[in-house]
mmCIF file of all heavy atoms in Angstrom:
data_model
loop_
_atom_site.group_PDB
_atom_site.id
_atom_site.type_symbol
_atom_site.label_atom_id
_atom_site.label_comp_id
_atom_site.label_asym_id
_atom_site.label_seq_id
_atom_site.Cartn_x
_atom_site.Cartn_y
_atom_site.Cartn_z
ATOM 1 N N PHE A 29 69.491 77.683 107.604
ATOM 2 C CA PHE A 29 70.162 78.249 106.457
ATOM 3 C C PHE A 29 71.670 78.355 106.611
ATOM 4 O O PHE A 29 72.410 78.295 105.629
ATOM 5 C CB PHE A 29 69.540 79.607 106.098
ATOM 6 C CG PHE A 29 68.302 79.484 105.270
ATOM 7 C CD1 PHE A 29 67.077 79.185 105.849
ATOM 8 C CD2 PHE A 29 68.355 79.652 103.894
ATOM 9 C CE1 PHE A 29 65.931 79.050 105.075
ATOM 10 C CE2 PHE A 29 67.223 79.496 103.103
ATOM 11 C CZ PHE A 29 65.998 79.216 103.689
ATOM 12 N N GLU A 30 72.170 78.469 107.842
ATOM 13 C CA GLU A 30 73.636 78.537 107.998
ATOM 14 C C GLU A 30 74.292 77.191 107.712
ATOM 15 O O GLU A 30 75.523 77.104 107.586
ATOM 16 C CB GLU A 30 73.981 79.029 109.403
ATOM 17 C CG GLU A 30 73.761 78.033 110.511
ATOM 18 C CD GLU A 30 74.112 78.580 111.893
ATOM 19 O OE1 GLU A 30 74.363 79.791 111.976
ATOM 20 O OE2 GLU A 30 74.099 77.796 112.874
ATOM 21 N N ARG A 31 73.507 76.122 107.620
ATOM 22 C CA ARG A 31 74.039 74.813 107.297
ATOM 23 C C ARG A 31 73.949 74.468 105.817
ATOM 24 O O ARG A 31 74.355 73.377 105.402
ATOM 25 C CB ARG A 31 73.311 73.740 108.144
ATOM 26 C CG ARG A 31 73.773 73.783 109.590
ATOM 27 C CD ARG A 31 72.879 73.001 110.555
ATOM 28 N NE ARG A 31 73.509 72.986 111.878
ATOM 29 C CZ ARG A 31 73.481 74.029 112.742
ATOM 30 N NH1 ARG A 31 72.810 75.138 112.421
ATOM 31 N NH2 ARG A 31 74.129 73.952 113.901
ATOM 32 N N LEU A 32 73.441 75.380 105.009
ATOM 33 C CA LEU A 32 73.308 75.107 103.579
ATOM 34 C C LEU A 32 74.653 75.124 102.875
ATOM 35 O O LEU A 32 74.836 74.419 101.868
ATOM 36 C CB LEU A 32 72.369 76.132 102.927
ATOM 37 C CG LEU A 32 70.906 76.087 103.419
ATOM 38 C CD1 LEU A 32 70.072 77.084 102.606
ATOM 39 C CD2 LEU A 32 70.340 74.678 103.314
ATOM 40 N N PHE A 33 75.606 75.926 103.347
ATOM 41 C CA PHE A 33 76.906 75.970 102.685
ATOM 42 C C PHE A 33 77.561 74.597 102.706
ATOM 43 O O PHE A 33 77.976 74.060 101.673
ATOM 44 C CB PHE A 33 77.797 77.018 103.359
ATOM 45 C CG PHE A 33 79.175 77.143 102.749
ATOM 46 C CD1 PHE A 33 79.403 77.956 101.657
ATOM 47 C CD2 PHE A 33 80.241 76.442 103.301
ATOM 48 C CE1 PHE A 33 80.654 78.059 101.102
ATOM 49 C CE2 PHE A 33 81.510 76.535 102.745
ATOM 50 C CZ PHE A 33 81.738 77.356 101.641
ATOM 51 N N SER A 34 77.666 73.997 103.875
ATOM 52 C CA SER A 34 78.259 72.676 103.994
ATOM 53 C C SER A 34 77.454 71.630 103.218
ATOM 54 O O SER A 34 78.028 70.707 102.621
ATOM 55 C CB SER A 34 78.395 72.277 105.457
ATOM 56 O OG SER A 34 79.392 73.036 106.102
ATOM 57 N N THR A 35 76.131 71.757 103.236
ATOM 58 C CA THR A 35 75.272 70.835 102.494
ATOM 59 C C THR A 35 75.542 70.944 101.013
ATOM 60 O O THR A 35 75.630 69.935 100.296
ATOM 61 C CB THR A 35 73.799 71.128 102.806
ATOM 62 O OG1 THR A 35 73.583 70.991 104.225
ATOM 63 C CG2 THR A 35 72.870 70.188 102.055
ATOM 64 N N PHE A 36 75.678 72.163 100.522
ATOM 65 C CA PHE A 36 75.947 72.406 99.110
ATOM 66 C C PHE A 36 77.277 71.799 98.697
ATOM 67 O O PHE A 36 77.407 71.175 97.626
ATOM 68 C CB PHE A 36 75.939 73.924 98.855
ATOM 69 C CG PHE A 36 76.073 74.316 97.408
ATOM 70 C CD1 PHE A 36 75.004 74.162 96.531
ATOM 71 C CD2 PHE A 36 77.251 74.857 96.934
ATOM 72 C CE1 PHE A 36 75.110 74.527 95.201
ATOM 73 C CE2 PHE A 36 77.374 75.239 95.607
ATOM 74 C CZ PHE A 36 76.313 75.072 94.745
ATOM 75 N N LEU A 37 78.308 71.955 99.532
ATOM 76 C CA LEU A 37 79.630 71.441 99.183
ATOM 77 C C LEU A 37 79.620 69.929 99.028
ATOM 78 O O LEU A 37 80.340 69.398 98.150
ATOM 79 C CB LEU A 37 80.667 71.829 100.242
ATOM 80 C CG LEU A 37 81.030 73.304 100.390
ATOM 81 C CD1 LEU A 37 82.264 73.466 101.282
ATOM 82 C CD2 LEU A 37 81.284 73.981 99.037
ATOM 83 N N VAL A 38 78.861 69.197 99.837
ATOM 84 C CA VAL A 38 78.898 67.730 99.767
ATOM 85 C C VAL A 38 77.874 67.159 98.789
ATOM 86 O O VAL A 38 77.860 65.961 98.544
ATOM 87 C CB VAL A 38 78.693 67.090 101.162
ATOM 88 C CG1 VAL A 38 79.831 67.477 102.093
ATOM 89 C CG2 VAL A 38 77.328 67.439 101.765
ATOM 90 N N THR A 39 77.031 68.000 98.215
ATOM 91 C CA THR A 39 76.018 67.506 97.265
ATOM 92 C C THR A 39 76.277 67.975 95.834
ATOM 93 O O THR A 39 75.539 67.582 94.927
ATOM 94 C CB THR A 39 74.603 67.916 97.686
ATOM 95 O OG1 THR A 39 74.548 69.345 97.836
ATOM 96 C CG2 THR A 39 74.201 67.265 98.986
ATOM 97 N N CYS A 40 77.281 68.820 95.630
ATOM 98 C CA CYS A 40 77.576 69.337 94.293
ATOM 99 C C CYS A 40 78.971 68.913 93.848
ATOM 100 O O CYS A 40 79.922 68.939 94.646
ATOM 101 C CB CYS A 40 77.486 70.882 94.270
ATOM 102 S SG CYS A 40 75.802 71.478 94.468
ATOM 103 N N ASP A 41 79.077 68.551 92.598
ATOM 104 C CA ASP A 41 80.366 68.138 92.053
ATOM 105 C C ASP A 41 81.052 69.301 91.370
ATOM 106 O O ASP A 41 80.443 70.315 91.019
ATOM 107 C CB ASP A 41 80.156 67.011 91.029
ATOM 108 C CG ASP A 41 79.576 65.770 91.650
ATOM 109 O OD1 ASP A 41 79.939 65.464 92.806
ATOM 110 O OD2 ASP A 41 78.771 65.091 90.976
ATOM 111 N N GLY A 42 82.345 69.160 91.168
ATOM 112 C CA GLY A 42 83.089 70.103 90.356
ATOM 113 C C GLY A 42 83.493 71.386 91.045
ATOM 114 O O GLY A 42 83.802 72.377 90.392
ATOM 115 N N LEU A 43 83.479 71.405 92.382
ATOM 116 C CA LEU A 43 83.833 72.603 93.142
ATOM 117 C C LEU A 43 85.261 72.481 93.663
ATOM 118 O O LEU A 43 85.624 71.472 94.257
ATOM 119 C CB LEU A 43 82.882 72.836 94.311
ATOM 120 C CG LEU A 43 81.419 73.079 93.970
ATOM 121 C CD1 LEU A 43 80.601 73.149 95.253
ATOM 122 C CD2 LEU A 43 81.254 74.351 93.173
ATOM 123 N N ALA A 44 86.048 73.528 93.431
ATOM 124 C CA ALA A 44 87.414 73.563 93.996
ATOM 125 C C ALA A 44 87.366 74.402 95.249
ATOM 126 O O ALA A 44 87.195 75.641 95.194
ATOM 127 C CB ALA A 44 88.381 74.153 92.991
ATOM 128 N N CYS A 45 87.463 73.766 96.419
ATOM 129 C CA CYS A 45 87.270 74.433 97.709
ATOM 130 C C CYS A 45 88.545 74.378 98.523
ATOM 131 O O CYS A 45 89.264 73.357 98.532
ATOM 132 C CB CYS A 45 86.160 73.775 98.511
ATOM 133 S SG CYS A 45 84.654 73.485 97.570
ATOM 134 N N LEU A 46 88.820 75.449 99.251
ATOM 135 C CA LEU A 46 89.984 75.463 100.143
ATOM 136 C C LEU A 46 89.574 75.949 101.539
ATOM 137 O O LEU A 46 89.235 77.113 101.718
ATOM 138 C CB LEU A 46 91.070 76.379 99.585
ATOM 139 C CG LEU A 46 92.406 76.348 100.366
ATOM 140 C CD1 LEU A 46 93.059 74.988 100.239
ATOM 141 C CD2 LEU A 46 93.343 77.438 99.898
ATOM 142 N N PRO A 47 89.614 75.056 102.538
ATOM 143 C CA PRO A 47 89.344 75.482 103.908
ATOM 144 C C PRO A 47 90.596 76.030 104.541
ATOM 145 O O PRO A 47 91.731 75.582 104.253
ATOM 146 C CB PRO A 47 88.920 74.176 104.594
ATOM 147 C CG PRO A 47 89.660 73.114 103.847
ATOM 148 C CD PRO A 47 89.770 73.602 102.411
ATOM 149 N N TYR A 48 90.431 76.998 105.421
ATOM 150 C CA TYR A 48 91.589 77.534 106.156
ATOM 151 C C TYR A 48 92.105 76.457 107.093
ATOM 152 O O TYR A 48 91.329 75.856 107.840
ATOM 153 C CB TYR A 48 91.156 78.774 106.947
ATOM 154 C CG TYR A 48 92.287 79.457 107.651
ATOM 155 C CD1 TYR A 48 93.074 80.383 107.001
ATOM 156 C CD2 TYR A 48 92.599 79.151 108.988
ATOM 157 C CE1 TYR A 48 94.151 81.031 107.635
ATOM 158 C CE2 TYR A 48 93.656 79.779 109.634
ATOM 159 C CZ TYR A 48 94.417 80.695 108.951
ATOM 160 O OH TYR A 48 95.471 81.305 109.587
ATOM 161 N N PRO A 49 93.409 76.207 107.077
ATOM 162 C CA PRO A 49 93.953 75.111 107.910
ATOM 163 C C PRO A 49 94.137 75.524 109.365
ATOM 164 O O PRO A 49 94.608 76.611 109.644
ATOM 165 C CB PRO A 49 95.307 74.822 107.254
ATOM 166 C CG PRO A 49 95.716 76.162 106.688
ATOM 167 C CD PRO A 49 94.458 76.857 106.259
ATOM 168 N N HIS A 50 93.777 74.626 110.262
ATOM 169 C CA HIS A 50 93.989 74.865 111.699
ATOM 170 C C HIS A 50 94.976 73.818 112.201
ATOM 171 O O HIS A 50 94.726 72.625 112.088
ATOM 172 C CB HIS A 50 92.692 74.734 112.475
ATOM 173 C CG HIS A 50 91.706 75.845 112.197
ATOM 174 N ND1 HIS A 50 90.713 75.721 111.254
ATOM 175 C CD2 HIS A 50 91.580 77.066 112.737
ATOM 176 C CE1 HIS A 50 90.009 76.834 111.224
ATOM 177 N NE2 HIS A 50 90.495 77.665 112.105
ATOM 178 N N ALA A 51 96.069 74.284 112.775
ATOM 179 C CA ALA A 51 97.012 73.367 113.408
ATOM 180 C C ALA A 51 96.349 72.715 114.627
ATOM 181 O O ALA A 51 95.408 73.275 115.189
ATOM 182 C CB ALA A 51 98.278 74.117 113.826
ATOM 183 N N ARG A 52 96.837 71.548 115.024
ATOM 184 C CA ARG A 52 96.240 70.840 116.159
ATOM 185 C C ARG A 52 96.194 71.711 117.395
ATOM 186 O O ARG A 52 95.218 71.745 118.138
ATOM 187 C CB ARG A 52 97.026 69.544 116.418
ATOM 188 C CG ARG A 52 96.531 68.712 117.613
ATOM 189 C CD ARG A 52 95.059 68.339 117.539
ATOM 190 N NE ARG A 52 94.665 67.865 116.236
ATOM 191 C CZ ARG A 52 94.918 66.633 115.770
ATOM 192 N NH1 ARG A 52 95.579 65.754 116.502
ATOM 193 N NH2 ARG A 52 94.522 66.265 114.564
ATOM 194 N N ALA A 53 97.257 72.481 117.645
ATOM 195 C CA ALA A 53 97.279 73.334 118.825
ATOM 196 C C ALA A 53 96.188 74.399 118.777
ATOM 197 O O ALA A 53 95.582 74.745 119.799
ATOM 198 C CB ALA A 53 98.648 74.022 118.943
ATOM 199 N N GLU A 54 95.874 74.898 117.582
ATOM 200 C CA GLU A 54 94.783 75.876 117.440
ATOM 201 C C GLU A 54 93.438 75.222 117.754
ATOM 202 O O GLU A 54 92.590 75.837 118.396
ATOM 203 C CB GLU A 54 94.759 76.435 116.014
ATOM 204 C CG GLU A 54 95.946 77.282 115.620
ATOM 205 C CD GLU A 54 95.802 77.737 114.184
ATOM 206 O OE1 GLU A 54 95.076 78.726 113.948
ATOM 207 O OE2 GLU A 54 96.392 77.118 113.307
ATOM 208 N N VAL A 55 93.247 74.009 117.274
ATOM 209 C CA VAL A 55 91.988 73.326 117.528
ATOM 210 C C VAL A 55 91.824 73.069 119.035
ATOM 211 O O VAL A 55 90.748 73.300 119.603
ATOM 212 C CB VAL A 55 91.920 71.983 116.741
ATOM 213 C CG1 VAL A 55 90.627 71.257 117.044
ATOM 214 C CG2 VAL A 55 92.070 72.227 115.251
ATOM 215 N N VAL A 56 92.864 72.612 119.654
ATOM 216 C CA VAL A 56 92.822 72.375 121.111
ATOM 217 C C VAL A 56 92.510 73.658 121.859
ATOM 218 O O VAL A 56 91.714 73.684 122.812
ATOM 219 C CB VAL A 56 94.142 71.763 121.596
ATOM 220 C CG1 VAL A 56 94.196 71.724 123.122
ATOM 221 C CG2 VAL A 56 94.329 70.356 121.025
ATOM 222 N N ALA A 57 93.099 74.754 121.407
ATOM 223 C CA ALA A 57 92.886 76.042 122.083
ATOM 224 C C ALA A 57 91.438 76.515 121.977
ATOM 225 O O ALA A 57 90.981 77.295 122.816
ATOM 226 C CB ALA A 57 93.823 77.087 121.501
ATOM 227 N N ARG A 58 90.717 76.050 120.983
ATOM 228 C CA ARG A 58 89.323 76.461 120.829
ATOM 229 C C ARG A 58 88.356 75.584 121.614
ATOM 230 O O ARG A 58 87.164 75.897 121.681
ATOM 231 C CB ARG A 58 88.935 76.451 119.327
ATOM 232 C CG ARG A 58 89.648 77.550 118.536
ATOM 233 C CD ARG A 58 89.343 77.470 117.046
ATOM 234 N NE ARG A 58 90.108 78.486 116.347
ATOM 235 C CZ ARG A 58 89.681 79.733 116.129
ATOM 236 N NH1 ARG A 58 88.497 80.099 116.586
ATOM 237 N NH2 ARG A 58 90.419 80.599 115.477
ATOM 238 N N CYS A 59 88.849 74.543 122.190
ATOM 239 C CA CYS A 59 88.016 73.679 123.041
ATOM 240 C C CYS A 59 87.644 74.445 124.314
ATOM 241 O O CYS A 59 88.393 75.273 124.781
ATOM 242 C CB CYS A 59 88.726 72.392 123.376
ATOM 243 S SG CYS A 59 89.041 71.342 121.940
ATOM 244 N N THR A 60 86.514 74.074 124.907
ATOM 245 C CA THR A 60 86.007 74.828 126.055
ATOM 246 C C THR A 60 86.184 74.106 127.399
ATOM 247 O O THR A 60 85.921 74.681 128.424
ATOM 248 C CB THR A 60 84.518 75.149 125.859
ATOM 249 O OG1 THR A 60 83.766 73.908 125.744
ATOM 250 C CG2 THR A 60 84.291 75.984 124.611
ATOM 251 N N ASN A 61 86.610 72.851 127.376
ATOM 252 C CA ASN A 61 86.866 72.150 128.647
ATOM 253 C C ASN A 61 87.903 71.058 128.422
ATOM 254 O O ASN A 61 88.286 70.750 127.284
ATOM 255 C CB ASN A 61 85.579 71.591 129.256
ATOM 256 C CG ASN A 61 84.868 70.590 128.365
ATOM 257 O OD1 ASN A 61 85.470 69.628 127.912
ATOM 258 N ND2 ASN A 61 83.582 70.804 128.144
ATOM 259 N N GLU A 62 88.326 70.439 129.506
ATOM 260 C CA GLU A 62 89.405 69.444 129.432
ATOM 261 C C GLU A 62 89.002 68.197 128.647
ATOM 262 O O GLU A 62 89.829 67.592 127.968
ATOM 263 C CB GLU A 62 89.871 69.046 130.832
ATOM 264 C CG GLU A 62 91.093 68.152 130.829
ATOM 265 C CD GLU A 62 92.285 68.726 130.067
ATOM 266 O OE1 GLU A 62 92.476 69.958 130.090
ATOM 267 O OE2 GLU A 62 93.014 67.949 129.424
ATOM 268 N N MET A 63 87.735 67.796 128.718
ATOM 269 C CA MET A 63 87.307 66.618 127.977
ATOM 270 C C MET A 63 87.340 66.876 126.467
ATOM 271 O O MET A 63 87.735 66.001 125.675
ATOM 272 C CB MET A 63 85.920 66.150 128.420
ATOM 273 C CG MET A 63 85.464 64.899 127.682
ATOM 274 S SD MET A 63 86.539 63.452 127.922
ATOM 275 C CE MET A 63 85.904 62.784 129.454
ATOM 276 N N GLU A 64 86.924 68.054 126.053
ATOM 277 C CA GLU A 64 87.014 68.392 124.640
ATOM 278 C C GLU A 64 88.479 68.339 124.189
ATOM 279 O O GLU A 64 88.806 67.786 123.127
ATOM 280 C CB GLU A 64 86.435 69.782 124.362
ATOM 281 C CG GLU A 64 84.939 69.848 124.505
ATOM 282 C CD GLU A 64 84.376 71.203 124.076
ATOM 283 O OE1 GLU A 64 85.149 72.100 123.704
ATOM 284 O OE2 GLU A 64 83.141 71.348 124.113
ATOM 285 N N ARG A 65 89.355 68.915 124.988
ATOM 286 C CA ARG A 65 90.790 68.888 124.647
ATOM 287 C C ARG A 65 91.309 67.442 124.609
ATOM 288 O O ARG A 65 92.110 67.078 123.758
ATOM 289 C CB ARG A 65 91.578 69.739 125.647
ATOM 290 C CG ARG A 65 91.311 71.222 125.479
ATOM 291 C CD ARG A 65 92.209 72.072 126.377
ATOM 292 N NE ARG A 65 91.757 72.062 127.750
ATOM 293 C CZ ARG A 65 90.863 72.904 128.267
ATOM 294 N NH1 ARG A 65 90.292 73.828 127.475
ATOM 295 N NH2 ARG A 65 90.522 72.854 129.531
ATOM 296 N N PHE A 66 90.812 66.623 125.545
ATOM 297 C CA PHE A 66 91.207 65.230 125.577
ATOM 298 C C PHE A 66 90.802 64.506 124.292
ATOM 299 O O PHE A 66 91.592 63.763 123.688
ATOM 300 C CB PHE A 66 90.551 64.544 126.786
ATOM 301 C CG PHE A 66 90.710 63.053 126.824
ATOM 302 C CD1 PHE A 66 91.849 62.475 127.357
ATOM 303 C CD2 PHE A 66 89.723 62.224 126.325
ATOM 304 C CE1 PHE A 66 91.990 61.097 127.381
ATOM 305 C CE2 PHE A 66 89.851 60.848 126.350
ATOM 306 C CZ PHE A 66 90.993 60.279 126.893
ATOM 307 N N VAL A 67 89.577 64.717 123.851
ATOM 308 C CA VAL A 67 89.085 64.066 122.613
ATOM 309 C C VAL A 67 89.946 64.465 121.410
ATOM 310 O O VAL A 67 90.344 63.609 120.630
ATOM 311 C CB VAL A 67 87.599 64.426 122.367
ATOM 312 C CG1 VAL A 67 87.164 63.976 120.982
ATOM 313 C CG2 VAL A 67 86.712 63.776 123.440
ATOM 314 N N VAL A 68 90.215 65.753 121.291
ATOM 315 C CA VAL A 68 91.006 66.209 120.130
ATOM 316 C C VAL A 68 92.432 65.646 120.195
ATOM 317 O O VAL A 68 92.964 65.174 119.191
ATOM 318 C CB VAL A 68 91.030 67.742 120.084
ATOM 319 C CG1 VAL A 68 91.970 68.229 118.963
ATOM 320 C CG2 VAL A 68 89.628 68.282 119.840
ATOM 321 N N ARG A 69 93.036 65.669 121.379
ATOM 322 C CA ARG A 69 94.425 65.196 121.482
ATOM 323 C C ARG A 69 94.514 63.661 121.282
ATOM 324 O O ARG A 69 95.419 63.179 120.616
ATOM 325 C CB ARG A 69 94.991 65.560 122.861
ATOM 326 C CG ARG A 69 95.380 67.016 123.015
ATOM 327 C CD ARG A 69 96.234 67.231 124.263
ATOM 328 N NE ARG A 69 95.510 66.909 125.467
ATOM 329 C CZ ARG A 69 95.006 67.818 126.315
ATOM 330 N NH1 ARG A 69 95.147 69.095 126.061
ATOM 331 N NH2 ARG A 69 94.362 67.433 127.398
ATOM 332 N N GLU A 70 93.558 62.919 121.883
ATOM 333 C CA GLU A 70 93.644 61.461 121.849
ATOM 334 C C GLU A 70 93.086 60.837 120.573
ATOM 335 O O GLU A 70 93.567 59.788 120.129
ATOM 336 C CB GLU A 70 92.903 60.880 123.063
ATOM 337 C CG GLU A 70 93.526 61.220 124.396
ATOM 338 C CD GLU A 70 94.893 60.584 124.563
ATOM 339 O OE1 GLU A 70 95.064 59.417 124.175
ATOM 340 O OE2 GLU A 70 95.800 61.249 125.084
ATOM 341 N N TRP A 71 92.067 61.461 120.002
ATOM 342 C CA TRP A 71 91.407 60.878 118.844
ATOM 343 C C TRP A 71 91.630 61.651 117.546
ATOM 344 O O TRP A 71 91.293 61.182 116.476
ATOM 345 C CB TRP A 71 89.888 60.821 119.115
ATOM 346 C CG TRP A 71 89.501 59.815 120.128
ATOM 347 C CD1 TRP A 71 89.524 59.956 121.494
ATOM 348 C CD2 TRP A 71 89.034 58.490 119.903
ATOM 349 N NE1 TRP A 71 89.100 58.827 122.119
ATOM 350 C CE2 TRP A 71 88.782 57.896 121.160
ATOM 351 C CE3 TRP A 71 88.803 57.738 118.753
ATOM 352 C CZ2 TRP A 71 88.327 56.583 121.294
ATOM 353 C CZ3 TRP A 71 88.320 56.438 118.888
ATOM 354 C CH2 TRP A 71 88.087 55.875 120.139
ATOM 355 N N GLY A 72 92.202 62.851 117.653
ATOM 356 C CA GLY A 72 92.313 63.713 116.508
ATOM 357 C C GLY A 72 93.047 63.107 115.306
ATOM 358 O O GLY A 72 92.550 63.162 114.172
ATOM 359 N N ASP A 73 94.197 62.517 115.555
ATOM 360 C CA ASP A 73 94.979 61.956 114.465
ATOM 361 C C ASP A 73 94.222 60.816 113.763
ATOM 362 O O ASP A 73 94.230 60.721 112.528
ATOM 363 C CB ASP A 73 96.317 61.427 114.955
ATOM 364 C CG ASP A 73 97.289 62.552 115.326
ATOM 365 O OD1 ASP A 73 97.046 63.706 114.919
ATOM 366 O OD2 ASP A 73 98.267 62.277 116.039
ATOM 367 N N LEU A 74 93.578 59.986 114.545
ATOM 368 C CA LEU A 74 92.836 58.868 113.973
ATOM 369 C C LEU A 74 91.654 59.344 113.157
ATOM 370 O O LEU A 74 91.404 58.857 112.039
ATOM 371 C CB LEU A 74 92.377 57.948 115.103
ATOM 372 C CG LEU A 74 91.759 56.610 114.694
ATOM 373 C CD1 LEU A 74 92.725 55.787 113.852
ATOM 374 C CD2 LEU A 74 91.357 55.816 115.951
ATOM 375 N N ILE A 75 90.921 60.307 113.707
ATOM 376 C CA ILE A 75 89.761 60.840 112.959
ATOM 377 C C ILE A 75 90.221 61.547 111.688
ATOM 378 O O ILE A 75 89.588 61.409 110.627
ATOM 379 C CB ILE A 75 88.960 61.788 113.888
ATOM 380 C CG1 ILE A 75 88.260 60.957 114.978
ATOM 381 C CG2 ILE A 75 87.945 62.602 113.085
ATOM 382 C CD1 ILE A 75 87.621 61.785 116.060
ATOM 383 N N ASP A 76 91.305 62.292 111.762
ATOM 384 C CA ASP A 76 91.835 62.927 110.558
ATOM 385 C C ASP A 76 92.201 61.893 109.497
ATOM 386 O O ASP A 76 91.966 62.107 108.298
ATOM 387 C CB ASP A 76 93.068 63.775 110.906
ATOM 388 C CG ASP A 76 92.724 65.044 111.685
ATOM 389 O OD1 ASP A 76 91.547 65.417 111.703
ATOM 390 O OD2 ASP A 76 93.657 65.651 112.238
#
């Protein structure tokens, strides 16, 4: 059930949604090990 919100957003039209923005440094800070930080730093711009 905690995954229904995201499911609803991608299956329903006409919704005006605003996610809270996270700067890249914030995302990196939330990583739990060096490989996670590596993925975000090296691949983050491309994935975005």
Side-chain angles (χ1 to χ4, degrees):
F29 277 80
E30 73 182 9
R31 287 166 173 78
L32 295 185
F33 180 85
S34 289
T35 302
F36 185 74
L37 292 191
V38 297
T39 56
C40 291
D41 296 324
L43 297 174
C45 311
L46 186 66
Y48 184 86
H50 292 94
R52 178 56 46 78
E54 293 179 81
V55 179
V56 171
R58 291 176 184 271
C59 295
T60 60
N61 60 52
E62 186 55 35
M63 181 60 85
E64 289 186 359
R65 290 186 283 273
F66 171 84
V67 169
V68 174
R69 285 194 297 256
E70 295 293 319
W71 290 82
D73 288 344
L74 189 57
I75 290 170
D76 288 345

